[in-house]
Amino acid sequence: MRQLASTPGVQRIAVGDRDPDRAARVARSVGEPVRPEVGDAATWGAADVAVLADGGDHLLHSRRLVGEGVSVVSASGDPHDVAGLLALDAEARQRGCLVVGGAGFAPGLSCVLAAHAAAGFDQVDEVHVATVGTGRPAGRGRHRVRGGDACEWVDGQWGPCPSGSGRQLCWFPEPVGPQDCYPDATAGVQLLASAFPGVGRVTSRVGSRRRRERLAPHLPGLGRPPRDGRLGALRVEVRGRRGRVHDTCVLGAVDHWIVAAGATAAVAALSVAEGRLGRTGAGGLAGLVADPPAFLGELWARGVKVAVFEGTATSTARSSESG
Amino acid sequence: MSFLRRTVLALGVTGLVTAVLRLRGTGGVPPQTGGWRELSGPDFR
């Protein structure tokens, strides 16, 4: 909200919430051009773009908005939400609007980093994403999927693997550093698999600092995610070929989860409103962002810093088989 | 009775070893060379 409000050229931001008082408080705290909106998201037919960042039913709101020809940016990382949003592709194309799924920290910034890293390869073979931390409302979704089967994309098809297996030590930018990470079912895998046709393998892992989750990662989370999202970290490893040479590119980011997610969603919304994504339909940021360096540059200007690992990366494939 | 005690003991030792590995073990080897470099404005042009 603050990211959008501080952008020159944004004339009006209508904020809605299931609790009208909360929407009014948010509007007052940010000030112009933010105003509280009476009614739910389905009534916002006059908007250039709608940003869905609450814990509500993103798919239901998106269907209504797309039906009115309004472009949608959803910050939900829930695999079911994202699958439904991607299924709106044909209708969005028909109505000339865009549906961006998974526009948060991960998926979201992770997708842009993957696209940026992939631009340096002739052929992308593998994409591996690892994260630490959660933000609300994504944290609730993350807890929900942690108890189920984690999914990875292998040679053109989904490969289930039991949660809790495949532990891997992932090296994040400081101050997070090394974290044990476990396979996780996030929407990032399906978004990246759809963005890179022919990719051999896409995996997603999540790190945990809690001892109970390390002992029994297959059990659902007991506590609620921290309200402020706290510090999150992201690591994206892309392997591919340049000519006949196989190489690896590792990009990462450390930031407060909800701050980085909010900035990513805001930049995505501005890109949609200004027509910078260049097409209509539904997809993730890896497939929709035509100029990843410009997108990351805009995030950098808003305080979201990313880093590149320069050195010898660890082998994800080998360590993931060690269980 | 002796069989039951041995079974309980074996399960207990297995659980203990599993817990130690889960809490103290690591999933790989850290990189020996290199490090992170923050990207800035010129890297995005």
Side-chain angles (χ1 to χ4, degrees):
Chain A
M1 185 77 62
R2 292 185 190 277
Q3 296 283 343
L4 288 171
S6 63
T7 304
V10 176
Q11 295 176 346
R12 186 184 176 200
I13 302 171
V15 54
D17 195 282
R18 284 168 290 184
D19 179 359
D21 292 337
R22 185 159 57 182
R25 283 199 304 272
V26 170
R28 274 199 305 272
S29 70
V30 180
E32 287 292 331
V34 180
R35 299 171 197 169
E37 184 75 15
V38 179
D40 65 6
T43 65
W44 301 353
D48 293 319
V49 57
V51 180
L52 303 179
D54 65 344
D57 191 334
H58 287 214
L59 188 53
L60 178 68
H61 290 316
S62 299
R63 282 195 184 119
R64 290 178 179 172
L65 288 160
V66 170
E68 296 181 36
V70 178
S71 292
V72 176
V73 172
S74 165
S76 172
D78 185 288
H80 303 291
D81 280 349
V82 170
L85 293 174
L86 294 180
L88 294 174
D89 182 64
E91 186 177 356
R93 285 175 191 267
Q94 187 183 0
R95 297 189 180 273
C97 58
L98 258 167
V99 178
V100 183
F105 189 60
L109 178 57
S110 60
C111 296
V112 183
L113 290 180
H116 184 48
F121 295 103
D122 298 325
Q123 168 67 38
V124 175
D125 295 327
E126 299 183 24
V127 182
H128 304 283
V129 177
T131 59
V132 173
T134 58
R136 287 189 168 189
R140 286 196 288 271
R142 176 60 59 88
H143 275 197
R144 196 161 58 241
V145 297
R146 188 177 281 173
D149 287 338
C151 299
E152 62 179 41
W153 184 261
V154 183
D155 295 331
Q157 57 185 344
W158 292 103
C161 54
S163 290
S165 68
R167 178 170 61 182
Q168 182 200 342
L169 184 68
C170 294
W171 210 269
F172 295 92
E174 295 299 333
V176 174
Q179 295 288 327
D180 275 331
C181 296
Y182 300 85
D184 189 27
T186 68
V189 175
Q190 56 185 310
L191 290 170
L192 291 169
S194 64
F196 302 114
V199 65
R201 191 169 178 220
V202 182
T203 66
S204 174
R205 281 184 163 75
V206 60
S208 177
R209 296 172 176 175
R210 296 180 180 177
R211 288 190 169 186
R212 192 209 63 76
E213 290 176 350
R214 294 184 68 178
L215 274 173
H218 53 287
L219 296 176
L222 296 176
R224 305 186 84 186
R227 190 163 191 83
D228 62 356
R230 295 187 184 171
L231 203 60
L234 176 61
R235 182 183 187 277
V236 178
E237 180 174 338
V238 177
R239 299 178 187 187
R241 279 168 282 178
R242 295 188 190 95
R244 292 183 177 181
V245 179
H246 290 260
D247 202 358
T248 302
C249 179
V250 183
L251 296 174
V254 173
D255 208 324
H256 283 269
W257 186 288
I258 56 173
V259 173
T264 304
V267 174
L270 292 168
S271 300
V272 171
E274 294 169 2
R276 280 185 269 151
L277 299 186
R279 74 170 179 89
T280 56
L285 291 175
L288 291 174
V289 174
D291 189 355
F295 195 100
L296 292 173
E298 195 166 340
L299 284 175
W300 177 78
R302 292 168 185 268
V304 179
K305 305 290 189 289
V306 301
V308 59
F309 186 83
E310 294 179 334
T312 306
T314 53
S315 171
T316 304
R318 257 186 294 128
S319 54
S320 66
E321 290 162 3
S322 63
Chain B
M1 195 63 187
S2 171
F3 174 75
L4 187 63
R5 273 203 302 268
R6 286 178 183 174
T7 304
V8 170
L9 180 65
L11 289 175
V13 170
T14 303
L16 191 65
V17 170
T18 303
V20 169
L21 287 176
R22 281 276 181 194
L23 288 175
R24 306 300 300 174
T26 62
V29 180
Q32 302 299 310
T33 59
W36 290 96
R37 178 179 66 84
E38 190 176 294
L39 298 179
S40 57
D43 293 305
F44 303 124
R45 295 192 187 113

